[in-house]
Amino acid sequence: GQMVRQLKSFARKEAATPQPVRVAEAIAHAQLMVEPRRRELGAVFHVEPGGELQVLAEAGRLEQVLVNLLRNSLDAMHDQPMPQVAVRVRADGAWVRLSVRDHGPGIPPEELPHLFDRFYRVNGIQPRGAGLGLAIVRSVMNLHKGHVAVASKDGRTTFELTFPRHA
């Protein structure tokens, strides 16, 4: 079912109709959606939601992006003794930067250039998905005139989303 939902979501390419969305609410909704996996792993979320910051986005698609990133972070830490995910939101001029960082094993440098390719799956991550989650993240960010970047160093992988800020 999850694979079919991801395929349908990836195929949906209609133009976004952005509206002001409170980032803290989107994070809270995404956390609820991954709660069963978080509980299963005994993971801890550390969230700095950015107060009243708003972005121009579609709420459902923003939540989908966050769910994909949170689920990937949790899956990357499936064998860690104390899994932790940090979510941080901050204003940066006309932009809002939202980062999701895990304390997993990290992603090998040779895999980083391929992460956003369709059907690409990182080795060693359990459970293995369809390889569409990060392709969907990039697609949604492009639709919203935003950007996604990734860095992985010393066992910490950080995804940073940059959205247009709503005043």
Side-chain angles (χ1 to χ4, degrees), residues 95-132:
W95 302 93
V96 171
R97 297 193 187 279
L98 188 157
S99 64
V100 176
R101 183 183 73 213
D102 66 50
H103 296 125
I107 298 172
E110 64 273 9
E111 293 199 40
L112 289 173
H114 307 288
L115 286 183
F116 299 101
D117 295 347
R118 286 178 283 190
F119 306 113
Y120 187 80
R121 299 183 298 188
V122 175
N123 291 321
I125 301 296
Q126 298 294 331
R128 291 180 61 92
L132 289 173

Side-chain angles (χ1 to χ4, degrees), residues 4-13 61 64 68 136 139-140:
V4 170
R5 281 191 300 278
Q6 284 188 335
L7 284 167
K8 287 170 78 174
S9 176
F10 190 78
R12 189 177 60 197
K13 294 282 190 183
R61 287 187 177 180
Q64 178 184 27
N68 282 340
I136 291 169
S139 176
V140 170

Side-chain angles (χ1 to χ4, degrees), residues 37 40-43 71-84 102-105 122-128:
R37 181 69 170 145
E40 174 187 334
L41 296 173
R71 185 178 294 133
N72 284 355
S73 290
L74 291 170
D75 289 348
M77 298 182 298
H78 72 279
D79 60 353
Q80 301 293 311
M82 295 178 57
Q84 298 179 49
D102 66 50
H103 296 125
V122 175
N123 291 321
I125 301 296
Q126 298 294 331
R128 291 180 61 92

